[in-house]
Amino acid sequence: MKNIVFAVILLFSFSLFAQDNKDISYLKVKQNSCIKKKGNSLILKETLSDSRCPVGVNCIWAGEIKVLVAVYQDKKFIKEETLIISGSNAKENLAWFAQYLPADKRKLKSINVLPYPKEGVKIKRKDYCIRIGYIK
């Protein structure tokens, strides 16, 4: 009987604290994106290096990816920025991206670079994109 009560409490606690991702939307920063006539546009110019730990490999260090992102405003080039995306500088990267996004997309939750490396699979430079998660 004690085991059943414990299992019910455990199950209830997991469902109570489960995250609801319905309010999270994503936008992608791609390499060959169109530049908007009005407002800011972000373009992934180049992936400079990718030292992230591939799926299927045990690594001591999680790794990082270095990308070059261009900012355009009203089709006019503003600047380029080299960003290192890793767990240690997530807040700085979230703040950097937020300043160039529309006001309704500035509550950033996550930044990921896709595709994530897999053991034995080479990623083509043109396949990379940055996925930004924001709260609606």
Side-chain angles (χ1 to χ4, degrees), residues 54-116:
V55 173
V57 176
N58 290 328
C59 301
I60 297 171
W61 184 52
E64 63 187 23
I65 185 163
K66 187 186 288 189
V67 294
L68 182 63
V69 179
V71 179
Y72 291 84
Q73 185 176 29
D74 302 331
K75 283 195 135 182
K76 181 180 175 187
F77 175 76
I78 301 297
K79 70 178 197 170
E80 286 181 345
E81 187 82 26
T82 300
L83 300 172
I84 298 172
I85 298 175
S86 68
S88 64
N89 63 354
K91 286 184 181 181
E92 293 88 2
N93 288 330
L94 290 171
W96 188 87
F97 279 103
Q99 67 184 336
Y100 299 110
L101 295 175
D104 62 334
K105 296 179 182 176
R106 287 189 180 159
K107 292 182 182 177
L108 301 185
K109 192 79 172 158
S110 64
I111 298 172
N112 298 304
V113 179
L114 302 174
Y116 198 84

Side-chain angles (χ1 to χ4, degrees), residues 5-93:
V5 172
F6 178 73
V8 170
I9 291 172
L10 187 63
L11 182 63
F12 178 71
S13 66
F14 282 131
S15 65
L16 183 64
F17 296 110
Q19 293 182 356
D20 187 8
N21 289 335
K22 292 179 188 175
D23 294 336
I24 296 179
S25 293
Y26 297 95
L27 61 94
K28 288 186 178 180
V29 177
K30 299 179 183 178
Q31 292 187 38
N32 297 320
S33 297
C34 294
I35 300 170
K36 295 185 278 185
K37 291 183 179 182
K38 298 241 178 198
N40 291 335
S41 296
L42 297 171
I43 307 292
L44 175 61
K45 297 264 310 206
E46 186 178 355
T47 302
L48 303 171
S49 67
D50 187 356
S51 66
R52 296 175 293 171
C53 183
V55 173
V57 176
N58 290 328
C59 301
I60 297 171
W61 184 52
E64 63 187 23
I65 185 163
K66 187 186 288 189
V67 294
L68 182 63
V69 179
V71 179
Y72 291 84
Q73 185 176 29
D74 302 331
K75 283 195 135 182
K76 181 180 175 187
F77 175 76
I78 301 297
K79 70 178 197 170
E80 286 181 345
E81 187 82 26
T82 300
L83 300 172
I84 298 172
I85 298 175
S86 68
S88 64
N89 63 354
K91 286 184 181 181
E92 293 88 2
N93 288 330

